[in-house]
Amino acid sequence: MNTPSSSKHHAQTAICIVGNGAIAKAAALAFAQAGQGVTLLAPPAAPKPEGLEPSWDVRVYALNHTAHELLSNLKVWGAMDQQRIAPVDAMVVKGDGEQPGHLNFDAYGARTDTLAWIVEDSNLNGALDAALRFAQNVHFVTGRAVGLKCNEDGATILLEDGNAVKASLVVGADGAQSWVRGQCDIGLDYKPYGQKGIVSNFETELPHHGAAFQWFTCDRGIVALLPLPGNRVSLVWSAPDMLADQLCSEGAQALADRLAEFAADKLGKLTPLLPEAVKAFPLSLVRPHSLVAQRVALIGDAAHVVHPLAGHGMNLGFGDVRDLVRAVTEREEHRSIGDERVLARYARSRKEEVLLMQATTDGLQRLFGANLEPVRAVRNFGLNLLDKLPFVKRSLMSHALGRH
């Protein structure tokens, strides 16, 4: 069993992972399971706000089969509270305008037991934390990194307290504003969407039957209601900034009243789950020009940030973990963990999937954000046409499920 230690007791490691989110923790477990020595470097934990926590976490993820397989192999999936995980058996997409298009997906048509699983952030991180406490070869350093030096022999992370961590490979899993990425002078393309993601949870009058619902509304953004266990749903509303600020200021009950326009016929009356919580986060597209640098690999949001309309940001991160661990474990004996060819193989393995998801989410956001009647007619026609092409639908679903 490992206990957190100060950096004064830790100077050398095979792999240093910088970050404290689910992707960083999963990477630490995966490398440790592969027999590598790992240091997990995270900043001091922020104090938890006082008061009652929401009964259901407003931050949820739609995890696909890639994530499910990785977390199962790490013995994390079974450690989560299964009563708080909701399988997604169907997805219903609706366009906008007087003649909105329709697109339906279901597990049977995708030839699988379930399309995805809705998991709360707290449930996922709680299971990861528990697994890390008993993981072999994982050490913890709490501190703030202030410098990164890389050369052919390895990498050195300088800490605020004057200590250092030396590693053969540094993994940047420190989010969209990645410090590691910035230290490597990796350029990036940044595109703010002028939207915020509004999240909240509601109880439904009618059962959702495991269906996820999504409405493309053009000027009001994209509304998604994801199934939670029981008669509950989780909202992710990608709303223009001005509307998003208004939604936050109005509160959960007013939000429920607004959602009745979309969901009343499917889910009946929506009631905010107590204690009420409405949160928002800005939406953007972030495309680093490279996933790797000398002795450095980026994973998760440090490597790519996409629009949440497809719900696959976290899944891309778990795919990064899988492919990076594979590149390291399958390297030739004479190559070190941070060898440039090993990292190049990782970058190539992620290129297609990441570019496809970036192009898809950005393209759909632009397509359904265009407030022109000819464009509206074309996109609604496209939804209806796609709904009548089962082979194409299955191909799209195989990518969404993580089965390529």
Side-chain angles (χ1 to χ4, degrees):
M1 178 175 179
N2 292 316
T3 56
S5 63
S6 71
S7 59
K8 294 179 181 179
H9 301 120
H10 197 95
Q12 188 73 41
T13 187
I15 300 169
C16 182
I17 300 171
V18 182
N20 61 354
I23 298 302
K25 296 171 186 176
L29 284 171
F31 275 119
Q33 188 181 80
Q36 301 295 336
V38 180
T39 291
L40 188 58
L41 173 60
K48 292 186 177 181
E50 297 181 1
L52 188 62
E53 292 290 324
S55 59
W56 286 85
D57 198 336
V58 295
R59 188 174 184 182
V60 302
Y61 309 114
L63 300 184
N64 67 3
H65 288 252
T66 294
H68 183 274
E69 181 179 7
L70 176 67
L71 293 171
S72 296
N73 291 338
L74 298 177
K75 305 297 188 290
V76 170
W77 191 272
M80 288 192 288
D81 185 348
Q82 302 299 306
Q83 300 301 313
R84 299 181 74 97
I85 298 176
V88 179
D89 299 319
M91 185 170 183
V92 180
V93 181
K94 189 173 182 180
D96 59 343
E98 296 181 0
Q99 295 181 317
H102 297 267
L103 179 60
N104 298 321
F105 296 102
D106 59 67
Y108 178 80
R111 298 175 180 174
T112 186
D113 292 334
T114 187
L115 298 179
W117 296 264
I118 306 302
V119 177
E120 297 165 279
D121 178 77
S122 54
N123 194 8
L124 173 59
N125 273 284
L128 286 165
D129 289 338
L132 281 169
R133 284 195 291 270
F134 294 94
Q136 300 295 320
N137 303 323
V138 179
H139 300 273
F140 302 86
V141 174
T142 300
R144 298 189 184 279
V146 296
L148 174 62
K149 298 179 180 179
C150 300
N151 55 43
E152 293 182 357
D153 297 323
T156 301
I157 298 179
L158 306 176
L159 303 180
E160 191 175 44
D161 62 5
N163 291 282
V165 178
K166 295 184 178 181
S168 180
L169 172 65
V170 172
V171 178
D174 49 345
Q177 307 298 323
S178 173
W179 174 86
V180 173
R181 187 183 65 217
Q183 294 298 302
C184 298
D185 292 326
I186 295 176
L188 58 83
D189 298 322
Y190 174 77
K191 175 183 176 181
Y193 283 116
Q195 295 178 329
K196 292 185 178 72
I198 307 298
V199 292
S200 191
N201 295 328
F202 301 91
E203 184 174 352
T204 65
E205 180 182 9
L206 303 176
H208 51 63
H209 299 296
F213 300 92
Q214 191 169 48
W215 295 268
F216 289 95
T217 71
C218 190
D219 56 335
R220 286 176 292 173
I222 303 164
V223 179
L225 288 173
L226 309 175
L228 293 175
N231 280 19
R232 304 180 187 93
V233 292
S234 183
L235 168 71
V236 182
W237 187 337
S238 304
D241 284 337
M242 289 186 61
L243 174 59
D245 294 341
Q246 184 178 353
L247 295 175
C248 287
S249 65
E250 289 178 350
Q253 184 55 58
L255 192 55
D257 295 339
R258 285 178 177 267
L259 291 171
E261 173 188 347
F262 309 109
D265 61 329
K266 300 289 186 181
L267 300 172
K269 182 181 178 181
L270 299 183
T271 304
L273 288 183
L274 297 175
E276 295 183 6
V278 179
K279 295 185 179 180
F281 54 93
L283 304 182
S284 61
L285 175 69
V286 179
R287 284 191 283 212
H289 296 168
S290 176
L291 299 187
V292 299
Q294 188 177 43
R295 295 285 173 177
V296 172
L298 303 178
I299 61 175
D301 282 355
H304 38 66
V305 177
V306 298
H307 196 284
L309 65 88
H312 280 297
M314 182 64 74
N315 294 320
L316 282 179
F318 284 126
D320 296 340
V321 173
R322 175 200 61 198
D323 288 356
L324 180 58
V325 173
R326 179 182 298 158
V328 167
T329 56
E330 294 181 356
R331 74 189 190 281
E332 298 88 344
E333 290 185 9
H334 67 278
R335 298 194 186 281
S336 70
I337 293 173
D339 185 276
E340 64 178 354
R341 292 198 179 186
V342 174
L343 300 185
R345 290 168 190 161
Y346 159 66
R348 285 196 301 270
S349 71
R350 299 305 297 148
K351 184 175 182 179
E352 180 181 354
E353 182 179 5
V354 171
L355 284 177
L356 177 62
M357 189 57 63
Q358 289 171 335
T360 300
T361 55
D362 187 56
L364 286 174
Q365 193 279 331
R366 286 187 285 111
L367 176 63
F368 284 92
N371 194 16
L372 297 172
E373 187 55 41
V375 178
R376 180 181 290 112
V378 169
R379 65 195 180 210
N380 284 314
F381 172 78
L383 285 176
N384 290 328
L385 177 62
L386 182 56
D387 198 45
K388 296 178 173 63
L389 299 173
F391 177 78
V392 179
K393 283 172 63 175
R394 279 197 298 271
S395 178
L396 289 173
M397 287 310 301
S398 69
H399 280 276
L401 293 171
R403 295 174 173 176
H404 306 299

